[in-house]
């Protein structure tokens, strides 16, 4: 059985460790660019409690430029292959908007596709996810990474983001992607103002009520720095931990984070509290 689908059947919160094999990601660009460094970081995250390793070869920070598919493949495929060879039981996701990159990663041993464009950047993504029978995460983003934070605007952000995700999920299902293979992500920080992010976090239970597993990605995000008066992303670990705990209580299932140990603990405590409340 697919490793990620098996994990989702457990119903407990899952920690997805971020493994950026890029020179320019907003928080950890260049740190794990080479396969040996990437493998060492993956081992570290798994030891700290990660359930899934999410490998990405293109930065999606505000203002970033797109990376050609061939370059993404050159960055991502060797790392995924190294992970599969050294850590055969590890669940691996590929973070890309391009079908060619996703397929190369799946061929190298990835288990899941994490698409911040929800299939809008490449018409082949839905067909690929359907054909390969893998979990596929659809994320909301207003605009694109290069321009998304210039002037985002919503009339009713929760309604608009949820409607978008449900529409994209319906299209994916029409293309042959199994409903139980779909994951949705409200896209915290992707074409959102601070208040938009806060309203989405406050309404995570509405996304969970859709029946699709919810992925939450708040790790070290800039909107929290504005609230906490912190400018350095790496200093936002406590803020991230708070959103993870809130997300567990609201029913989110997957938490995409840089700092695995801290968020694993937060998720486990929140999950224990939630189970006790059902008692």
């Amino acid at each position: 059985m697919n490793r990620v689908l098996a994990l989702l059947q457990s119903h407990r919160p899952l920690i997805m460790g971020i493994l950026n094999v890029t020179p320019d990601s907003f928080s950890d660009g260049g740190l794990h660019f080479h396969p040996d460094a990437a493998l060492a970081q993956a081992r570290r995250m798994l030891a700290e409690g990660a359930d899934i390793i999410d490998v990405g070869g293109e930065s999606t920070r505000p203002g970033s430029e797109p990376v050609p598919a061939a370059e993404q493949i050159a960055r991502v495929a060797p790392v995924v292959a190294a992970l599969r060879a050294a850590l055969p039981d590890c669940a691996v996701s590929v973070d890309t908007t391009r079908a060619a990159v996703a397929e190369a990663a799946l061929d190298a041993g990835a288990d899941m596709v994490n698409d911040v464009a929800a299939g809008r950047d490449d018409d082949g993504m839905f067909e690929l996810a359907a054909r390969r029978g893998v979990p596929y995460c659809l994320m909301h983003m207003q605009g694109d990474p290069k321009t998304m934070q210039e002037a985002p605007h919503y009339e009713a952000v929760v309604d608009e983001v949820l409607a978008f995700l449900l529409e994209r999920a319906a299209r994916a299902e029409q293309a042959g992607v199994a409903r139980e293979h779909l994951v949705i992500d409200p896209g915290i920080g992707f074409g959102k103002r601070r208040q938009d992010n806060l309203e989405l976090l406050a309404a995570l239970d509405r996304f969970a009520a859709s029946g699709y597993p919810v992925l939450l990605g708040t790790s070290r995000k800039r909107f929290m720095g504005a609230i906490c008066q912190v400018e350095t992303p790496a200093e936002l670990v406590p803020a991230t931990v708070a959103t993870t705990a809130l997300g567990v209580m609201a029913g989110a299932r997957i938490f995409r984070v840089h700092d695995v140990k801290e968020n694993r603990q937060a998720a486990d405590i929140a999950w224990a509290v939630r189970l006790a409340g059902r008692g």
Side-chain angles (χ1 to χ4, degrees), residues 251-270:
R253 297 295 316 283
I254 305 174
F255 300 84
R256 185 177 182 273
V257 300
H258 298 87
D259 307 285
V260 168
K261 180 179 179 180
E262 295 85 350
N263 285 280
R264 176 81 274 165
Q265 290 185 1
D268 288 348
I269 292 297

Side-chain angles (χ1 to χ4, degrees), residues 178-237:
R179 179 183 175 86
E180 61 269 23
H181 291 182
L182 290 170
V183 177
I184 60 172
D185 178 351
I188 301 295
F190 283 80
K192 314 288 194 304
R193 301 161 297 188
R194 181 176 70 173
Q195 185 64 25
D196 298 327
N197 292 316
L198 294 173
E199 290 182 23
L200 288 167
L201 286 169
L204 283 176
D205 58 338
R206 287 185 58 188
F207 291 86
S210 71
Y212 297 106
V214 175
L215 187 152
L216 183 64
T218 62
S219 189
R220 305 182 182 182
K221 290 287 176 72
R222 185 178 301 174
F223 82 97
M224 297 187 298
I227 295 169
C228 301
Q229 298 182 333
V230 172
E231 293 186 2
T232 304
E235 294 180 8
L236 288 167
V237 180

Side-chain angles (χ1 to χ4, degrees), residues 88-160:
D89 296 325
C90 171
V92 179
S93 170
V94 59
D95 179 5
T96 185
T97 66
R98 299 295 178 185
V101 181
E103 183 139 44
L106 293 173
D107 289 344
D111 305 286
M112 173 180 177
V113 178
N114 182 16
D115 180 4
V116 301
R120 293 179 299 163
D121 276 4
D122 191 329
D123 292 338
M125 284 295 253
F126 288 172
E127 184 277 330
L128 173 67
R131 175 164 48 85
R132 300 297 292 260
V134 296
Y136 180 63
C137 183
L138 302 152
M139 194 195 81
H140 175 275
M141 172 171 47
Q142 189 176 93
D144 56 49
K146 185 174 176 61
T147 62
M148 63 186 178
Q149 290 305 114
E150 290 182 1
H153 177 75
Y154 302 86
E155 296 297 329
V157 66
V158 174
D159 292 342
E160 291 172 46

Side-chain angles (χ1 to χ4, degrees), residues 3 19 35-36 38-44 46 53 77-92 108-109:
R3 297 172 186 84
L19 187 57
D36 288 347
L39 181 58
Q41 176 65 2
R43 290 184 186 277
R44 186 177 304 111
L46 290 170
I53 303 298
V79 171
V80 173
L83 290 174
R84 183 55 59 230
L87 304 163
D89 296 325
C90 171
V92 179

